[in-house]
Amino acid sequence: MALVGKWEYVSAENLDEYMTVAAVPDNLKEVAKNSKPSLEITNSGDQWTLKTTVSDKVKDTTFTLGQEFETKSLTGQDLKCVVTMEGEKMVETQKAGDVTTIVTREVQGDQLVSKMTLGGSTATVTFKRA
């Protein structure tokens, strides 16, 4: 699987607008804008683990494709999520109450492109293999 591995931050596009639409508190927006997150993806059969590190916060999530699971966002918000694969693209649907965010992760060349869409706003975070 191309997604498996350790990934380091390269760039982010439209993150500020996305965080505003997502109602991220101002103090956490500053942390996010000034950090360089890393991502580690591992896979064993149907089990996947995403380990996201932003500044001093680590979110470690293990899940089975197609099965709903509960987790918390990096801002502490309760989420219900389902992750599926569409070809080589990992698609995560996150629900917080009535609000749905779609996160797609796919490898393009030697980069992992993660797109977060909420309402009409999409932020793109690009990583390179570590």
Side-chain angles (χ1 to χ4, degrees):
M1 264 277 145
L3 290 165
V4 172
K6 293 183 180 182
W7 301 91
E8 295 176 349
Y9 175 87
V10 173
S11 64
E13 296 171 28
N14 207 35
L15 196 57
D16 200 44
E17 178 190 313
Y18 171 82
M19 288 190 295
T20 298
V21 171
V24 173
D26 287 343
N27 61 325
L28 294 176
K29 278 187 194 178
E30 285 305 311
V31 170
K33 284 193 280 190
N34 294 321
S35 70
K36 303 212 179 315
S38 64
L39 177 64
E40 183 176 357
I41 301 175
T42 56
N43 171 236
S44 177
D46 286 343
Q47 290 281 104
W48 288 81
T49 300
L50 298 179
K51 182 178 179 181
T52 307
T53 305
V54 180
S55 187
D56 62 344
K57 293 185 182 289
V58 177
K59 181 183 175 196
D60 207 341
T61 307
T62 299
F63 56 88
T64 301
L65 289 176
Q67 292 184 10
E68 185 177 80
F69 61 95
E70 294 184 8
T71 187
K72 288 193 180 291
S73 70
L74 286 165
T75 60
Q77 190 172 36
D78 289 326
L79 300 172
K80 289 189 182 211
C81 303
V82 176
V83 179
T84 58
M85 294 297 291
E86 295 179 6
E88 293 289 308
K89 185 187 298 187
M90 179 180 282
V91 180
E92 180 177 356
T93 303
Q94 302 176 344
K95 292 186 179 183
D98 296 339
V99 179
T100 300
T101 301
I102 305 293
V103 181
T104 61
R105 298 174 183 94
E106 70 178 318
V107 175
Q108 297 177 355
D110 61 350
Q111 296 184 323
L112 185 148
V113 178
S114 178
K115 293 186 179 189
M116 302 169 287
T117 302
L118 174 60
S121 178
T122 299
T124 303
V125 181
T126 303
F127 298 87
K128 66 178 179 182
R129 201 171 285 278

